Amino acid sequence: MIGKVMLSQLARAIDAELIGNDRLLVGAVSIDTRSLKQGQLFVALSGNNTDGHHYVRQAFDKGAAGCIVEKVQPVDQPQLLVKNVRQALLQTGRFNRNRFEGLLTGLTGSCGKTSVREMLTTILKNAGSTLAPINNYNNDLGMPVTLSHLESHHRYAVIEMGTSAPGDIALLAQIARPHISIITNAEMAHLEKLKSVEGVAKEKGAILDYLPAEGFAILNRDSRFFSEWTQRARQRTVRLISFSLQDAGADVFASDIAHSTTGTHCHLHFNNTTFPVQLSFYGHHQVANACAATAAALAANISPELIIKGLQEAQPFQQRGQCFKGFNGSTVIDESYNANPASVRAAMDVLRSCQGQRIFVLGDMAELGDTTESAHRQVGEYAHRCGFEQLLTYGHSSQLAAKCFGAEGKHFADKASLNHYLRSCLSADTTVLIKGSNSMKMHETVQVCTETGKTQKTFLKPYRLSPIKRNLK
C-alpha cells in the first residue's frame, strides 16, 4: 500500500463497516493464507471449492492486519464487513491505484501479453522502480491484488488484463486507468462467450476507453482490427504509436530476423534509427512482441539505449517458451501455459526451425465455442505442412488434429500413456515442444520429459535452431 493507511480509512473507501479496533495497514492484499505475509490485508473470497471465511483465524495467526469479510467471524481482531467481498477487492485495488503518482501501462491481447509484459518490465526496471503482476494475475481477482502492491517508490507499473467474457476488459481498465494501453492482437480465443474474433477485438478495444487525454495507444499495425482500434483511440484524443513485425509504415518495426543458438537476432527500427537486438526469445511472434514493448517504452520516454538493453536482458516467463535439457539429452520447449489457434501456430513455427527429430505435443485448445472442431483440424493440417516427424495429442478435441496430421499423428486417451510413449522417443537428436490450454495441465508432460522428472531451474536455450525464411500460409 502507498503511504500510511488506517483500516478505518480503507473502510470508508470501500463502503465497509470496521468491526474491532482500528489498525495501521502496512502490507498489500492477500487472497491466499499460504502466501500471506505479516501486516497484509486478507480478503475472504468464496469460490466453488472453498470459503475464505474458514481461513480468517489462520490469517490473523500469520499476522494479518485485518480481513475483509461478508460475515463477521468469531475472532477478536479487526474485520471490514462488506456486502460483496469480490467487489470490495476491486475497490481496494482502485483505492491504492488512485494514490499512485507514477506511470501505469495496461496491456491486453489474445497472444503475447505476458511476453510483452516481461520485456517491457525489464526495460522499465533499468529506468526506475517497476511493479509487474505477480504470476498470472490478470483478472478481476488478480489485478487488484497487484495494484495493492504499488508503493510510493514505484515509478512504473505494468498491468496485464485478460478476458473471457464481454465487459471484463472495461471493468479492469476502469480500475487500473492506464496512461499507456497496449493491444497485442485479437485472435480466436475465449469464443464461448465472445462468440467471434470480431467480438474479441471489440472486447480488447475497451482498454482504450479509459486512457487520459494525454495517454498513448500502442496498436498492432499487422492486425486487421488496427483501423477499428485507431478510430476508437482517436475518440479519446490520445496519441498513437504503431508497431509491426516488418511493415515499414509502422512507428516500430523489425527486419533481418534470424534464429541462432543464442535466441533470435533482428534489427529494430524506430526514431529513424536502426538498432541490432539479440533476444532470448524464439520465433517471429516474439520479435513482434519486442516491437510492442519498444513502442510502449517510447511512450514512457525511455531512451533507446535502455530499451535495447532491456530487450536483451529479458527472459521468457515460465511455461512460455522456456527451454530445458530433457531426457536422453533431448531439448524440451515448454509452451504449456495456454493455447489458442494463433499461439499454437506460432509455437509450430518455432519448432519447425529446429533440426533433427521434431515432436509437437498438443493438448486441447479450450473455450473456442462453435469453432472448436475446425480449429483443431486446422492446426493438425498446419503441423503436417510444417513437416514434423510426429504430432502427439491428448484431450477430446485434439484427436481431430492428430487425424488431420496423417500417419504419424498419434492420439492418447490418457496422459500417462502419452508421457510414457513420448519419453521413449527422446534422444539427443530430438526437440519436443509441448503446448495446450491450462485445463489440460500439459506442464506435467514437460516434467516427465526431463532427466529428473522435474524441470531444471537453469534456463537452457535450444541449440539446433536455423533461420526461418518465411511463414507458412
Side-chain angles (χ1 to χ4, degrees), residues 261-343:
T261 57
T262 55
T264 303
H265 183 274
C266 67
H267 286 91
L268 289 186
H269 304 265
F270 60 92
N271 287 359
N272 296 316
T273 309
T274 300
F275 301 89
V277 180
Q278 179 68 42
L279 302 171
S280 293
F281 297 75
Y282 296 86
H284 278 50
H285 63 296
Q286 295 289 13
V287 176
N289 291 335
C291 291
T294 298
L298 290 173
N301 200 32
I302 305 300
S303 70
E305 293 76 17
L306 288 184
I307 292 174
I308 301 305
K309 181 176 184 290
L311 289 175
Q312 296 187 149
E313 291 175 346
Q315 296 290 334
F317 196 63
Q318 59 187 11
Q319 299 176 8
R320 292 170 177 83
Q322 286 179 299
C323 301
F324 302 93
K325 182 70 70 177
F327 182 68
N328 278 344
S330 61
T331 297
V332 180
I333 305 176
D334 183 0
E335 279 276 2
S336 63
Y337 173 70
N338 216 339
N340 60 48
S343 66

Coordinates of all heavy atoms in Angstrom, one line a residue, residues 261-343:
T261 N 21.8 -20.1 -32.2 CA 22.0 -20.9 -31.0 C 21.8 -20.0 -29.7 O 21.6 -20.6 -28.6 CB 23.4 -21.5 -30.9 OG1 24.3 -20.4 -31.1 CG2 23.6 -22.4 -32.1
T262 N 21.7 -18.7 -29.9 CA 21.6 -17.9 -28.7 C 20.2 -17.2 -28.6 O 20.0 -16.3 -27.8 CB 22.7 -16.8 -28.6 OG1 22.7 -16.1 -29.9 CG2 24.0 -17.4 -28.4
G263 N 19.3 -17.5 -29.5 CA 18.0 -16.9 -29.5 C 17.6 -16.4 -30.8 O 17.7 -17.0 -31.9
T264 N 17.0 -15.2 -30.9 CA 16.6 -14.5 -32.1 C 17.3 -13.2 -32.3 O 17.3 -12.4 -31.4 CB 15.1 -14.3 -32.1 OG1 14.4 -15.5 -31.9 CG2 14.6 -13.7 -33.4
H265 N 17.9 -13.0 -33.4 CA 18.5 -11.7 -33.7 C 17.7 -11.0 -34.8 O 17.1 -11.6 -35.7 CB 19.9 -12.0 -34.3 CG 20.7 -10.7 -34.6 ND1 20.6 -10.0 -35.8 CD2 21.5 -10.0 -33.8 CE1 21.3 -8.9 -35.7 NE2 21.9 -8.9 -34.5
C266 N 17.6 -9.7 -34.6 CA 16.9 -8.9 -35.6 C 17.4 -7.4 -35.5 O 18.2 -7.1 -34.6 CB 15.4 -8.9 -35.3 SG 14.9 -8.1 -33.7
H267 N 16.9 -6.6 -36.4 CA 17.1 -5.2 -36.3 C 15.8 -4.5 -36.0 O 14.8 -4.8 -36.7 CB 17.7 -4.7 -37.6 CG 19.1 -5.0 -37.9 ND1 19.5 -6.1 -38.5 CD2 20.3 -4.4 -37.5 CE1 20.8 -6.2 -38.6 NE2 21.3 -5.1 -37.9
L268 N 15.8 -3.6 -35.0 CA 14.6 -2.9 -34.7 C 14.7 -1.5 -35.3 O 15.8 -0.9 -35.2 CB 14.3 -2.8 -33.2 CG 13.9 -4.0 -32.5 CD1 13.6 -3.7 -31.0 CD2 12.7 -4.7 -33.2
H269 N 13.6 -1.0 -35.9 CA 13.6 0.4 -36.5 C 12.7 1.3 -35.7 O 11.5 1.0 -35.7 CB 13.2 0.3 -37.9 CG 14.1 -0.7 -38.7 ND1 15.2 -0.3 -39.5 CD2 14.0 -2.0 -38.9 CE1 15.7 -1.3 -40.1 NE2 15.0 -2.4 -39.7
F270 N 13.2 2.3 -35.2 CA 12.3 3.3 -34.5 C 13.2 4.6 -34.4 O 14.4 4.6 -34.4 CB 11.8 2.9 -33.2 CG 12.8 2.5 -32.1 CD1 13.2 3.4 -31.2 CD2 13.3 1.2 -32.1 CE1 14.2 3.1 -30.3 CE2 14.2 0.9 -31.1 CZ 14.6 1.8 -30.2
N271 N 12.5 5.7 -34.2 CA 13.1 7.0 -34.1 C 14.1 7.3 -35.3 O 15.2 7.9 -35.1 CB 13.9 7.2 -32.8 CG 13.0 7.3 -31.6 OD1 11.8 7.4 -31.8 ND2 13.5 7.4 -30.4
N272 N 13.7 6.8 -36.5 CA 14.5 6.9 -37.7 C 15.9 6.4 -37.6 O 16.9 6.8 -38.2 CB 14.6 8.4 -38.1 CG 13.3 9.0 -38.4 OD1 12.5 8.4 -39.1 ND2 13.0 10.2 -37.9
T273 N 16.0 5.4 -36.7 CA 17.3 4.7 -36.5 C 17.1 3.2 -36.4 O 16.1 2.7 -36.1 CB 17.9 5.2 -35.1 OG1 17.9 6.6 -35.1 CG2 19.4 4.7 -35.0
T274 N 18.2 2.5 -36.8 CA 18.2 1.0 -36.8 C 19.0 0.5 -35.6 O 20.2 0.9 -35.5 CB 18.6 0.4 -38.1 OG1 17.8 0.9 -39.2 CG2 18.6 -1.1 -38.1
F275 N 18.5 -0.4 -34.9 CA 19.2 -1.0 -33.7 C 19.3 -2.5 -33.8 O 18.2 -3.2 -33.9 CB 18.5 -0.6 -32.4 CG 18.3 0.9 -32.2 CD1 17.2 1.5 -32.7 CD2 19.3 1.6 -31.5 CE1 17.0 2.9 -32.5 CE2 19.1 3.0 -31.3 CZ 18.0 3.6 -31.8
P276 N 20.5 -3.1 -33.8 CA 20.6 -4.6 -33.7 C 20.2 -5.0 -32.3 O 20.6 -4.4 -31.3 CB 22.1 -4.8 -34.0 CG 22.8 -3.6 -33.6 CD 21.8 -2.4 -33.8
V277 N 19.4 -6.2 -32.3 CA 19.0 -6.7 -31.0 C 19.1 -8.2 -31.0 O 18.8 -8.9 -31.9 CB 17.5 -6.3 -30.7 CG1 17.0 -6.9 -29.4 CG2 17.3 -4.8 -30.7
Q278 N 19.6 -8.7 -29.8 CA 19.7 -10.2 -29.6 C 18.7 -10.5 -28.5 O 18.8 -10.1 -27.4 CB 21.1 -10.6 -29.2 CG 21.2 -12.1 -29.0 CD 21.0 -12.9 -30.2 OE1 21.5 -12.6 -31.3 NE2 20.3 -14.0 -30.1
L279 N 17.6 -11.3 -28.8 CA 16.6 -11.7 -27.9 C 16.9 -13.1 -27.4 O 17.3 -13.9 -28.1 CB 15.2 -11.6 -28.5 CG 14.7 -10.3 -29.1 CD1 13.4 -10.5 -29.8 CD2 14.6 -9.2 -28.0
S280 N 16.5 -13.3 -26.1 CA 16.5 -14.7 -25.6 C 15.2 -15.4 -25.8 O 14.9 -16.4 -25.2 CB 16.8 -14.7 -24.1 OG 18.1 -14.2 -23.9
F281 N 14.4 -14.9 -26.7 CA 13.1 -15.4 -27.1 C 13.2 -16.0 -28.5 O 13.9 -15.5 -29.3 CB 12.0 -14.4 -27.0 CG 11.7 -13.8 -25.7 CD1 12.6 -12.9 -25.1 CD2 10.6 -14.1 -25.0 CE1 12.4 -12.3 -23.9 CE2 10.3 -13.6 -23.7 CZ 11.2 -12.7 -23.2
Y282 N 12.4 -17.0 -28.8 CA 12.5 -17.7 -30.1 C 11.1 -17.5 -30.9 O 10.1 -17.7 -30.3 CB 12.8 -19.2 -29.9 CG 14.1 -19.4 -29.3 CD1 14.3 -19.4 -27.9 CD2 15.2 -19.5 -30.1 CE1 15.5 -19.6 -27.3 CE2 16.5 -19.7 -29.5 CZ 16.6 -19.7 -28.2 OH 17.8 -19.9 -27.6
G283 N 11.3 -17.2 -32.1 CA 10.1 -17.1 -33.0 C 9.8 -15.7 -33.5 O 10.1 -14.7 -32.8
H284 N 9.2 -15.6 -34.7 CA 8.8 -14.3 -35.3 C 7.8 -13.6 -34.4 O 7.8 -12.4 -34.2 CB 8.2 -14.5 -36.6 CG 9.3 -14.6 -37.7 ND1 10.3 -15.5 -37.7 CD2 9.4 -14.0 -38.9 CE1 11.1 -15.4 -38.8 NE2 10.5 -14.5 -39.6
H285 N 6.9 -14.3 -33.7 CA 5.9 -13.7 -32.9 C 6.6 -13.0 -31.7 O 6.0 -12.0 -31.2 CB 4.9 -14.8 -32.4 CG 5.5 -15.8 -31.5 ND1 6.4 -16.7 -32.0 CD2 5.3 -16.2 -30.2 CE1 6.8 -17.6 -31.0 NE2 6.1 -17.2 -29.9
Q286 N 7.7 -13.5 -31.2 CA 8.4 -12.8 -30.1 C 9.1 -11.6 -30.6 O 9.2 -10.6 -29.8 CB 9.4 -13.8 -29.5 CG 8.8 -15.0 -28.8 CD 8.0 -14.7 -27.5 OE1 7.7 -13.5 -27.2 NE2 7.7 -15.7 -26.8
V287 N 9.5 -11.5 -31.8 CA 10.0 -10.2 -32.4 C 8.9 -9.2 -32.4 O 9.1 -8.0 -32.1 CB 10.6 -10.4 -33.8 CG1 11.1 -9.1 -34.3 CG2 11.8 -11.4 -33.7
A288 N 7.7 -9.6 -32.8 CA 6.5 -8.7 -32.8 C 6.3 -8.2 -31.4 O 6.0 -7.0 -31.1 CB 5.3 -9.4 -33.4
N289 N 6.4 -9.1 -30.4 CA 6.2 -8.7 -29.0 C 7.3 -7.7 -28.6 O 7.0 -6.8 -27.8 CB 6.3 -9.9 -28.1 CG 5.1 -10.9 -28.3 OD1 4.0 -10.4 -28.7 ND2 5.3 -12.1 -28.0
A290 N 8.5 -7.9 -29.1 CA 9.6 -6.9 -28.8 C 9.3 -5.6 -29.3 O 9.6 -4.5 -28.7 CB 10.9 -7.4 -29.3
C291 N 8.7 -5.5 -30.5 CA 8.2 -4.3 -31.1 C 7.2 -3.6 -30.3 O 7.2 -2.4 -30.1 CB 7.7 -4.5 -32.6 SG 9.0 -5.0 -33.7
A292 N 6.2 -4.4 -29.8 CA 5.2 -3.8 -28.9 C 5.8 -3.2 -27.7 O 5.4 -2.1 -27.2 CB 4.2 -4.9 -28.6
A293 N 6.7 -3.9 -27.0 CA 7.3 -3.4 -25.8 C 8.1 -2.2 -26.1 O 8.1 -1.2 -25.3 CB 8.2 -4.5 -25.2
T294 N 8.8 -2.1 -27.2 CA 9.6 -1.0 -27.6 C 8.7 0.2 -27.8 O 9.0 1.4 -27.3 CB 10.3 -1.2 -28.9 OG1 11.3 -2.3 -28.7 CG2 11.1 0.0 -29.4
A295 N 7.5 0.1 -28.5 CA 6.6 1.2 -28.7 C 6.1 1.7 -27.3 O 6.0 2.9 -27.2 CB 5.4 0.7 -29.5
A296 N 5.8 0.8 -26.4 CA 5.3 1.3 -25.1 C 6.4 2.0 -24.3 O 6.2 3.0 -23.6 CB 4.8 0.1 -24.3
A297 N 7.6 1.5 -24.4 CA 8.8 2.2 -23.8 C 9.0 3.6 -24.3 O 9.3 4.5 -23.6 CB 10.0 1.3 -23.9
L298 N 8.8 3.7 -25.6 CA 8.9 5.0 -26.2 C 7.9 6.0 -25.7 O 8.2 7.2 -25.4 CB 8.8 4.9 -27.8 CG 10.0 4.3 -28.5 CD1 9.6 4.1 -30.0 CD2 11.3 5.1 -28.4
A299 N 6.7 5.5 -25.5 CA 5.6 6.3 -24.9 C 6.0 6.7 -23.5 O 5.6 7.8 -23.1 CB 4.3 5.5 -24.9
A300 N 6.7 5.9 -22.8 CA 7.1 6.2 -21.4 C 8.4 7.0 -21.4 O 8.9 7.3 -20.3 CB 7.4 4.9 -20.7
N301 N 8.8 7.4 -22.6 CA 10.0 8.3 -22.7 C 11.3 7.7 -22.2 O 12.2 8.3 -21.7 CB 9.8 9.6 -22.0 CG 10.7 10.8 -22.4 OD1 11.1 10.8 -23.6 ND2 11.1 11.7 -21.5
I302 N 11.4 6.4 -22.5 CA 12.6 5.6 -22.2 C 13.6 5.8 -23.3 O 13.3 5.7 -24.5 CB 12.3 4.2 -21.9 CG1 11.3 4.0 -20.8 CG2 13.6 3.4 -21.5 CD1 11.6 4.6 -19.5
S303 N 14.9 5.9 -23.0 CA 15.9 6.2 -24.1 C 16.1 4.9 -24.9 O 15.9 3.8 -24.4 CB 17.2 6.6 -23.4 OG 17.8 5.5 -22.7
P304 N 16.5 5.0 -26.2 CA 16.8 3.9 -27.0 C 17.8 2.9 -26.4 O 17.7 1.7 -26.5 CB 17.3 4.5 -28.3 CG 16.7 5.8 -28.4 CD 16.6 6.3 -26.9
E305 N 18.8 3.5 -25.7 CA 19.9 2.7 -25.1 C 19.3 1.7 -24.0 O 19.6 0.5 -24.0 CB 21.0 3.5 -24.5 CG 21.8 4.3 -25.5 CD 21.0 5.5 -26.0 OE1 20.0 6.0 -25.4 OE2 21.5 6.1 -27.1
L306 N 18.4 2.3 -23.2 CA 17.8 1.4 -22.1 C 16.8 0.5 -22.7 O 16.6 -0.6 -22.2 CB 17.1 2.3 -21.1 CG 18.0 3.1 -20.2 CD1 17.2 3.9 -19.1 CD2 19.0 2.2 -19.5
I307 N 16.1 0.8 -23.8 CA 15.2 -0.1 -24.5 C 15.9 -1.3 -25.0 O 15.5 -2.5 -24.7 CB 14.4 0.6 -25.6 CG1 13.5 1.7 -25.1 CG2 13.7 -0.4 -26.5 CD1 12.8 2.5 -26.1
I308 N 17.0 -1.1 -25.7 CA 17.8 -2.2 -26.3 C 18.4 -3.1 -25.2 O 18.3 -4.3 -25.2 CB 18.8 -1.7 -27.3 CG1 18.2 -0.9 -28.4 CG2 19.6 -2.9 -27.8 CD1 17.1 -1.6 -29.2
K309 N 18.9 -2.4 -24.2 CA 19.5 -3.1 -23.0 C 18.4 -4.0 -22.4 O 18.7 -5.2 -22.1 CB 20.0 -2.1 -22.0 CG 20.7 -2.7 -20.8 CD 21.3 -1.6 -19.9 CE 22.1 -2.2 -18.7 NZ 21.2 -2.9 -17.7
G310 N 17.2 -3.5 -22.1 CA 16.2 -4.3 -21.5 C 15.7 -5.4 -22.3 O 15.5 -6.5 -21.8
L311 N 15.6 -5.2 -23.6 CA 15.2 -6.3 -24.5 C 16.2 -7.5 -24.5 O 15.8 -8.6 -24.5 CB 15.0 -5.8 -25.9 CG 13.8 -4.9 -26.2 CD1 13.8 -4.4 -27.6 CD2 12.5 -5.6 -25.9
Q312 N 17.4 -7.1 -24.4 CA 18.5 -8.1 -24.5 C 18.6 -8.9 -23.1 O 19.1 -10.0 -23.1 CB 19.8 -7.5 -24.9 CG 19.7 -7.0 -26.4 CD 21.0 -6.6 -26.9 OE1 21.3 -6.7 -28.2 NE2 21.9 -6.1 -26.1
E313 N 18.1 -8.2 -22.1 CA 18.2 -8.8 -20.7 C 17.0 -9.7 -20.4 O 17.0 -10.6 -19.6 CB 18.4 -7.8 -19.7 CG 19.7 -7.0 -19.7 CD 19.7 -5.9 -18.7 OE1 18.7 -5.5 -18.2 OE2 20.9 -5.4 -18.4
A314 N 15.9 -9.4 -21.1 CA 14.6 -10.1 -20.8 C 14.6 -11.6 -21.0 O 15.3 -12.0 -22.0 CB 13.5 -9.4 -21.6
Q315 N 13.9 -12.3 -20.2 CA 13.9 -13.8 -20.4 C 12.4 -14.2 -20.4 O 11.5 -13.6 -19.9 CB 14.6 -14.5 -19.2 CG 16.0 -14.2 -19.0 CD 16.9 -14.8 -20.1 OE1 16.5 -15.8 -20.7 NE2 18.0 -14.3 -20.4
P316 N 12.2 -15.3 -21.1 CA 10.8 -15.9 -21.2 C 10.2 -16.2 -19.8 O 11.0 -16.7 -19.0 CB 10.9 -17.1 -22.1 CG 12.2 -16.9 -22.8 CD 13.1 -16.2 -21.9
F317 N 9.0 -15.9 -19.6 CA 8.3 -16.3 -18.4 C 8.0 -17.8 -18.3 O 8.1 -18.4 -19.4 CB 7.0 -15.5 -18.2 CG 6.4 -15.5 -16.9 CD1 7.1 -14.9 -15.8 CD2 5.2 -16.1 -16.6 CE1 6.5 -14.8 -14.5 CE2 4.6 -16.1 -15.3 CZ 5.3 -15.4 -14.3
Q318 N 7.8 -18.3 -17.2 CA 7.6 -19.7 -17.0 C 6.5 -20.3 -17.9 O 5.5 -19.7 -18.0 CB 7.4 -20.1 -15.6 CG 6.1 -19.4 -15.0 CD 6.0 -19.6 -13.5 OE1 6.9 -20.1 -12.8 NE2 4.9 -19.3 -12.9
Q319 N 6.8 -21.4 -18.5 CA 5.8 -22.1 -19.4 C 5.5 -21.3 -20.7 O 4.4 -21.6 -21.3 CB 4.6 -22.5 -18.6 CG 4.8 -23.4 -17.4 CD 3.6 -23.7 -16.6 OE1 2.5 -23.3 -17.0 NE2 3.8 -24.3 -15.5
R320 N 6.3 -20.4 -21.0 CA 6.1 -19.6 -22.3 C 7.3 -19.5 -23.1 O 7.8 -18.5 -23.4 CB 5.6 -18.2 -21.9 CG 4.2 -18.2 -21.3 CD 3.9 -16.8 -20.7 NE 2.6 -16.6 -20.2 CZ 2.2 -17.0 -19.0 NH1 3.1 -17.5 -18.2 NH2 1.0 -16.8 -18.6
G321 N 7.8 -20.7 -23.5 CA 9.0 -20.7 -24.3 C 10.3 -21.0 -23.6 O 11.3 -21.0 -24.2
Q322 N 10.2 -21.4 -22.3 CA 11.4 -21.8 -21.6 C 11.9 -23.1 -22.2 O 11.1 -24.0 -22.6 CB 11.1 -22.0 -20.1 CG 11.0 -20.7 -19.4 CD 10.7 -21.0 -17.9 OE1 9.7 -21.6 -17.6 NE2 11.6 -20.5 -17.0
C323 N 13.2 -23.3 -22.2 CA 13.8 -24.5 -22.8 C 14.6 -25.2 -21.8 O 15.4 -24.6 -21.0 CB 14.6 -24.1 -24.1 SG 13.6 -23.3 -25.3
F324 N 14.6 -26.5 -21.8 CA 15.3 -27.3 -20.9 C 16.0 -28.5 -21.5 O 15.6 -29.0 -22.6 CB 14.3 -27.9 -19.8 CG 13.5 -26.9 -19.1 CD1 12.3 -26.5 -19.5 CD2 14.0 -26.3 -17.9 CE1 11.5 -25.5 -18.8 CE2 13.3 -25.3 -17.2 CZ 12.1 -25.0 -17.7
K325 N 17.1 -28.9 -20.9 CA 17.7 -30.2 -21.4 C 16.9 -31.3 -20.8 O 16.6 -31.4 -19.7 CB 19.1 -30.3 -20.8 CG 19.9 -31.5 -21.2 CD 20.2 -31.4 -22.7 CE 21.3 -30.4 -23.0 NZ 21.7 -30.3 -24.4
G326 N 16.4 -32.2 -21.8 CA 15.5 -33.2 -21.4 C 16.1 -34.6 -21.3 O 17.3 -34.8 -21.4
F327 N 15.3 -35.6 -21.1 CA 15.7 -37.0 -21.0 C 16.5 -37.4 -22.2 O 16.2 -37.1 -23.4 CB 14.5 -37.9 -20.9 CG 14.7 -39.3 -20.7 CD1 15.3 -39.8 -19.5 CD2 14.4 -40.2 -21.6 CE1 15.6 -41.1 -19.3 CE2 14.6 -41.6 -21.5 CZ 15.2 -42.0 -20.3
N328 N 17.6 -38.2 -22.0 CA 18.5 -38.7 -23.0 C 19.1 -37.6 -23.9 O 19.5 -37.8 -25.0 CB 17.7 -39.6 -24.0 CG 17.6 -41.0 -23.4 OD1 18.4 -41.4 -22.5 ND2 16.8 -41.8 -24.0
G329 N 19.3 -36.4 -23.3 CA 19.9 -35.3 -24.0 C 19.1 -34.5 -25.0 O 19.5 -33.7 -25.7
S330 N 17.7 -34.7 -24.9 CA 16.8 -34.1 -25.8 C 16.6 -32.6 -25.4 O 17.1 -32.2 -24.3 CB 15.5 -34.8 -25.8 OG 14.9 -34.7 -24.4
T331 N 16.0 -31.8 -26.2 CA 15.7 -30.4 -25.9 C 14.1 -30.4 -25.8 O 13.4 -30.8 -26.6 CB 16.1 -29.5 -27.0 OG1 17.5 -29.5 -27.2 CG2 15.7 -28.1 -26.8
V332 N 13.7 -29.8 -24.6 CA 12.3 -29.7 -24.3 C 11.9 -28.2 -24.3 O 12.5 -27.4 -23.5 CB 11.9 -30.3 -23.0 CG1 10.4 -30.2 -22.7 CG2 12.4 -31.8 -23.0
I333 N 11.0 -27.8 -25.1 CA 10.5 -26.4 -25.2 C 9.1 -26.4 -24.5 O 8.2 -27.0 -24.9 CB 10.4 -25.9 -26.6 CG1 11.7 -26.0 -27.3 CG2 10.0 -24.4 -26.6 CD1 11.7 -25.6 -28.8
D334 N 9.1 -25.6 -23.4 CA 7.8 -25.6 -22.6 C 7.0 -24.4 -23.0 O 7.3 -23.2 -22.7 CB 8.2 -25.4 -21.1 CG 7.0 -25.5 -20.2 OD1 5.9 -25.6 -20.6 OD2 7.2 -25.4 -18.9
E335 N 5.9 -24.7 -23.7 CA 4.9 -23.7 -24.1 C 3.5 -24.1 -23.5 O 2.5 -23.9 -24.1 CB 4.8 -23.6 -25.6 CG 5.9 -22.7 -26.2 CD 5.5 -21.3 -26.2 OE1 4.4 -20.9 -25.7 OE2 6.3 -20.4 -26.8
S336 N 3.6 -24.7 -22.3 CA 2.4 -25.4 -21.8 C 1.4 -24.5 -21.1 O 0.4 -24.9 -20.6 CB 2.8 -26.5 -20.8 OG 3.5 -25.9 -19.7
Y337 N 1.7 -23.2 -21.0 CA 0.8 -22.3 -20.1 C -0.6 -22.2 -20.7 O -1.6 -22.4 -20.0 CB 1.4 -20.9 -20.0 CG 0.4 -20.0 -19.3 CD1 0.1 -20.2 -17.9 CD2 -0.3 -19.0 -20.0 CE1 -0.8 -19.4 -17.3 CE2 -1.2 -18.2 -19.3 CZ -1.5 -18.4 -18.0 OH -2.4 -17.7 -17.3
N338 N -0.8 -22.0 -22.0 CA -2.1 -21.8 -22.6 C -2.0 -22.0 -24.1 O -0.9 -22.1 -24.6 CB -2.7 -20.5 -22.2 CG -4.2 -20.6 -22.0 OD1 -4.9 -21.5 -22.4 ND2 -4.8 -19.6 -21.3
A339 N -3.2 -22.1 -24.7 CA -3.2 -22.3 -26.2 C -4.4 -21.8 -26.8 O -5.5 -22.0 -26.3 CB -3.0 -23.8 -26.5
N340 N -4.3 -21.2 -28.0 CA -5.3 -20.9 -28.9 C -4.8 -21.1 -30.3 O -3.5 -21.3 -30.5 CB -5.9 -19.5 -28.7 CG -4.9 -18.4 -28.9 OD1 -4.1 -18.3 -29.8 ND2 -4.8 -17.4 -27.9
P341 N -5.6 -21.1 -31.4 CA -5.0 -21.4 -32.7 C -3.8 -20.5 -33.1 O -2.9 -21.0 -33.7 CB -6.2 -21.2 -33.6 CG -7.4 -21.5 -32.7 CD -7.0 -21.0 -31.4
A342 N -3.9 -19.2 -32.8 CA -2.8 -18.4 -33.2 C -1.5 -18.7 -32.5 O -0.4 -18.7 -33.1 CB -3.2 -16.9 -33.0
S343 N -1.6 -18.9 -31.2 CA -0.4 -19.2 -30.4 C 0.2 -20.6 -30.7 O 1.4 -20.8 -30.7 CB -0.7 -19.1 -28.9 OG -1.6 -20.0 -28.4

